[in-house]
Amino acid sequence: MSDHQNRGQDFSLEADSELRFEIEQKDAKVLVTLVNGFAELFGTELVKKKKYEFGMGAKVAIFTYQGCVLHVTGKMDVCYISKETPMVQYVNCHAALEQFRTEAEEKDRRGPVAMVVGPTDVGKSTLCRILLNYAVRVGRRPLYADLDVGQGAIAISGNVATILIERPASVEEGFPKTAPLVYHFGHKSPSGNSVLYNAVVSKMAEVTLQSLNGNKRTKSSGIIVNTCGWVKGHGYAHLLHAARAYGACAIFVLDQERLYNELLRDVPSSVHVVLLPKSGGVVERSKELRHECRDQRIKEYFYGNARAPFYPFSFEVKFQELRLYKIGAPPLPDSCMPIGMKAEDNKTKVVAVTPTPALIHHVLALSFAESVDDDVIGTNIAGFCCVTEVDMERQVVMLLSPQPRPLPPNALLLWSELQFMDNHT
Ligand code: ATP
């Protein structure tokens, strides 16, 4: 490490500018301290003199409305100050949502549901984080719904999830992921089963909108909804479906005029559709990197991270004790369906899965449903496990699980297409 990396470097930021940096090297450690002024990371205020630590994979921006001095030590791969940021537009969106919230509070109505949409890598999750942080900083308690099954920000990929946001995200770790409501989908893209995706989104919207009535503060705070980056064709139809299911009152469109105009055309005129620029700092991720990020999230689910390591368990389950199901049966032509059923119904059918060697590495969701006769699609997920071995001779599978054996009695496991190679050492 060079001398100035050891001693660190001071960065003076003017008002409305941000320091952006990326860390790519393994074992790299960057420490950032706010020396003077005020600064925030994606909406979370930095505490003066506190050292914040960032490691490999960090891609962040520290923004200041008033100007500040930051002290940084450690090796970064990219590091520069930018004066061109869309933060003022973003804070205006927050101000508009606040007006809706104040009105909702006065009239004891439901607060705003705002959806953030746009293609991949435009900063959708980051804008959600900023809006949620600003909301809690002024005393709101919004819900955060994540419909992005490709890069789940709350649960692991392949699921749709909602959490209550009660405090600003941690600078280093993001929002705490405690007590989420998670519905299983099982695919990395809504295209894996479009009918099921819409059914899961409808259920999530119905349940969470209903839950708003249970808490006055959350009711007026509303919901921020993050969506998938698939915005063409069927992807667009999914966005429209979600907007309808949630009764969205605002849609923030990041960086795509075409999508903005399509939405203006297709949603009721009462919905506020707003086109916003993407930040020049948002980092594009290749297909491989997206895959790696997904893998990393699953790994963290089982093993935690350096700050909070977890120690998962491994145990065998006999085939005959494994209650494994998959949602969605192979398509059949309408003419082969029982009378009164459509081919579409097959897509949400719960079917039993027989263990084969092909099950290896698949992530399985543990449902709170007790039997397949329950509403499996609309039942919360308790957690996940991963198949690390299939022994056809002994008729057992080996599962990696955050909980020790045994699985809860009547545990109902749901197959997902996600795979995780457990090569943790
Ligand atoms: P996806 O296509 O997965 O839905 P997205 O549109 O939600 O992606 P984000 O995940 O918000 O995009 O952003 C992509 C990456 O860019 C993240 O690692 C985020 O931390 C980083 N990023 C966002 N804004 C900035 C910024 N202003 N400066 C530096 N990095 C940023």
Side-chain angles (χ1 to χ4, degrees), residues 18 20 42 59-61 119-127 148 151 226-227 229 279 281-283 285 290:
E18 65 187 21
R20 295 174 183 159
F42 302 145
K59 298 177 202 317
V60 292
T120 49
D121 297 328
V122 288
K124 294 183 296 301
S125 311
T126 306
L127 177 58
D148 184 358
Q151 297 284 331
N226 195 5
T227 58
S279 164
V282 178
V283 186
R285 286 170 288 188
R290 281 177 175 277

Side-chain angles (χ1 to χ4, degrees), residues 186-311:
H187 304 269
K188 289 174 262 185
S189 161
S191 62
N193 185 341
S194 284
V195 177
L196 175 63
Y197 182 75
N198 279 348
V200 172
V201 168
S202 293
K203 194 76 203 177
M204 183 57 90
E206 183 195 321
V207 169
T208 45
L209 288 172
Q210 186 68 37
S211 77
L212 288 182
N213 296 329
N215 180 320
K216 217 165 174 248
R217 185 126 72 122
T218 301
K219 184 177 175 187
S220 59
S221 302
I223 312 178
I224 303 285
V225 185
N226 195 5
T227 58
C228 289
W230 183 30
V231 295
K232 285 190 192 153
H234 285 303
Y236 177 67
H238 287 309
L239 291 181
L240 284 182
H241 173 87
R244 264 194 305 270
Y246 276 94
C249 82
I251 305 182
F252 299 129
V253 187
L254 280 168
D255 195 46
Q256 208 185 76
E257 258 190 275
R258 190 180 57 81
L259 176 62
Y260 166 69
N261 282 298
E262 279 175 341
L263 285 165
L264 275 185
R265 182 193 66 201
D266 295 335
V267 299
S269 55
S270 56
V271 180
H272 301 265
V273 184
V274 183
L275 179 63
L276 293 170
K278 84 168 194 186
S279 164
V282 178
V283 186
E284 276 188 29
R285 286 170 288 188
S286 61
K287 215 175 157 196
E288 291 71 36
L289 195 56
R290 281 177 175 277
H291 183 87
E292 250 175 60
C293 289
R294 262 198 299 267
D295 232 44
Q296 186 58 28
R297 287 278 300 119
I298 302 177
K299 187 169 174 188
E300 268 187 34
Y301 174 80
F302 289 111
Y303 290 99
N305 54 32
R307 267 183 277 265
F310 301 156
Y311 303 95

